[in-house]
Amino acid sequence: MQKSKSIKHESAGLLGKPGAGILFVLVAILPLCWGLLAQDVPTFSSDVKVVNVLATVRDKHGQIVNNLAKDDFKLQQDGQPQIIHYFAKETDLPLTLGLMVDTSMSQRRLIDQERTASYSFLNNLMRPDKDKAFVIHFDWGVELLQDTTSSRPKLEAALDKLGNPQFGSGSGGGGSSGGSSPGGGGGYPGGGGGRGGRHMGGGTTLYDAVFLASDEVARKIKGRKALIILSDGVDTGSKVSLDRAIETAQRADTLVYSILYADPEAYGHQGYPGMGGGHHGGWGGPGGGMGRPGGGYPQQQQHPDGKKVLERISRETGGRFFEVSKKQPIDQIYAQIEQELRNQYSLGYTPDKAVAGSGYHKITLATTNKDLTVQTREGFYEER
């Protein structure tokens, strides 16, 4: 009680001094101001799961709509409405982009065009000291030509390494084995660890490339991230399945943009690509890194539908599918992707207890305007 009286007495003394009344009012209202400001910036405790969703909105003419507010969106998880706690326009936030180029035999006549357009795209899109990119090429194996960097010279040098595939034995990649490997070592499902090596044979390991890019690179990156695939979509010898590749990209919260770039004469000249044993091992070549088993793989007897494969990868991860043609050349497609990445919305919500839990959860995002179309990922995986 003595302490309480002392404080009261001192306060009364202060109020009696000139200007003390203003000071007292400021001290009284500052906590209230702080409380009001905090309402505009939602905060979440570390044990609260926040699901982040990137979205692009278009009107009925296909034009991007970038002037919507949070109240213009309706979001559901597993059919149950959710409250959007966080909302922002992603025009300014950093971006990490993974460029994945198919260098298999079926693409050998297109690589020069892909290289030129890719360098121009990265040069136009990337903002100094803000955005980063990495470069992967895949044929009978997957090779990380350049890890994430903001250096344009390094990215240009990586693109210069893209060339016609060389089938035959040779020295494999460096780097240490390791990484997450459900069912096996060496960062690969069912893998056996060790360093990557080259083996005789050919093929196109598209699904492996998506898996490794998502699991070994994108998963470790915070913020906005996207993969861009340049391929005809025909996989002829991956270790992982298409389902597993898509799941891994979803778990890494990574958008995948697919560009179907096919040489109509490729299969006529060489027959069915991928006929032959063996595999390139893991991250090979100068990029170094992940190991995976070599050895022969069963020869596939049917062509997968590359277009449907690429469409599905992009649709289920929230990206977009494109097809190169005379009316839509590759540089024009890159310009559309650049515009889309600069005009995204980012929404965040905490799932209600009724729909929370481990496993896969379906996301449905729409706008209050029925004439608008929302492009976003179809769902996400909640880790145990």
Side-chain angles (χ1 to χ4, degrees):
M1 294 296 292
Q2 282 293 100
K3 187 175 181 181
S4 176
K5 287 181 180 179
S6 174
I7 293 173
K8 183 177 180 181
H9 175 74
E10 290 173 5
S11 298
L14 284 171
L15 289 172
K17 295 180 180 179
I22 296 175
L23 176 63
F24 180 81
V25 172
L26 286 172
V27 171
I29 67 172
L30 276 175
L32 177 62
C33 294
W34 291 333
L36 292 173
L37 286 171
Q39 293 178 10
D40 293 330
V41 183
T43 58
F44 305 96
S45 62
S46 59
D47 60 344
V48 173
K49 171 65 179 180
V50 178
V51 179
N52 296 306
V53 181
L54 289 173
T56 302
V57 181
R58 290 184 176 80
D59 61 21
K60 58 185 178 182
H61 302 293
Q63 299 301 309
I64 290 179
V65 178
N66 58 7
N67 60 351
L68 300 181
K70 181 175 72 172
D71 293 339
D72 294 319
F73 289 89
K74 299 182 296 181
L75 190 149
Q76 293 184 348
Q77 178 176 312
D78 299 330
Q80 299 297 316
Q82 304 294 310
I83 298 174
I84 299 172
H85 293 290
Y86 170 81
F87 179 84
K89 295 177 182 178
E90 298 282 23
T91 55
D92 253 353
L93 294 184
L95 170 70
T96 301
L97 195 69
L99 188 60
M100 305 172 58
V101 183
D102 181 347
T103 54
S104 63
M105 292 297 290
S106 63
Q107 300 293 104
R108 68 192 186 281
R109 303 197 315 168
L110 306 175
I111 291 175
D112 286 342
Q113 299 172 53
E114 292 175 343
R115 181 192 297 111
T116 302
S118 297
Y119 181 71
S120 178
F121 169 68
L122 292 177
N123 192 51
N124 292 334
L125 178 68
M126 292 180 61
R127 296 160 296 182
D129 302 321
K130 200 164 193 177
D131 301 324
K132 294 183 178 182
F134 59 95
V135 180
I136 288 173
H137 88 99
F138 59 95
D139 37 61
W140 69 98
V142 185
E143 185 175 350
L144 181 63
L145 294 176
Q146 175 59 56
D147 207 344
T148 52
T149 181
S150 58
S151 168
R152 284 186 170 87
K154 288 183 178 180
L155 292 169
E156 183 177 8
L159 291 173
D160 285 341
K161 295 175 186 176
L162 297 175
N164 292 335
Q166 297 176 356
F167 296 97
S169 60
S171 59
S176 60
S177 63
S180 61
S181 173
Y188 220 84
R195 295 171 184 253
R198 294 182 182 271
H199 299 269
M200 294 295 290
T204 308
T205 54
L206 169 61
Y207 309 156
D208 287 357
V210 174
F211 174 89
L212 286 168
S214 301
D215 192 62
E216 296 300 328
V217 185
R219 182 176 58 86
K220 302 172 184 178
I221 299 169
K222 301 295 184 182
R224 286 198 304 157
K225 47 201 171 181
L227 301 178
I228 296 180
I229 299 172
L230 273 166
S231 176
D232 60 10
V234 178
D235 188 290
T236 61
S238 282
K239 178 71 173 177
V240 303
S241 66
L242 175 59
D243 288 343
R244 184 65 190 282
I246 292 173
E247 176 186 334
T248 308
Q250 291 172 330
R251 289 184 183 276
D253 293 335
T254 302
L255 307 176
V256 183
Y257 290 86
S258 300
I259 302 176
L260 175 60
Y261 201 2
D263 181 354
E265 299 182 15
Y267 297 111
H269 280 262
Q270 69 175 55
Y272 179 55
M275 299 299 280
H279 243 321
H280 180 290
W283 292 121
M290 303 310 303
R292 61 168 292 180
Y297 284 78
Q299 296 179 359
Q300 300 183 20
Q301 300 300 321
Q302 295 181 348
H303 285 274
D305 189 327
K307 181 175 182 178
K308 288 183 178 179
V309 166
L310 295 176
E311 285 176 334
R312 182 185 167 197
I313 293 173
S314 293
R315 181 180 66 251
E316 295 189 16
T317 60
R320 193 178 174 198
F321 169 82
F322 298 87
E323 183 171 1
V324 176
S325 65
K326 290 183 179 179
K327 293 183 178 179
Q328 193 175 43
I330 187 171
D331 53 351
Q332 189 179 108
I333 290 173
Y334 269 142
Q336 292 181 57
I337 295 176
E338 179 182 351
Q339 182 190 27
E340 185 167 308
L341 291 172
R342 294 195 187 281
N343 291 279
Q344 291 178 312
Y345 297 96
S346 178
L347 303 90
Y349 70 98
T350 302
D352 293 340
K353 291 183 179 179
V355 294
S358 60
Y360 182 79
H361 297 281
K362 186 173 179 59
I363 293 174
T364 304
L365 182 64
T367 67
T368 54
N369 185 343
K370 295 182 179 180
D371 290 332
L372 301 181
T373 302
V374 179
Q375 172 190 315
T376 190
R377 56 177 170 160
E378 293 188 346
F380 72 98
Y381 283 88
E382 172 64 32
E383 304 293 342
R384 289 182 174 85

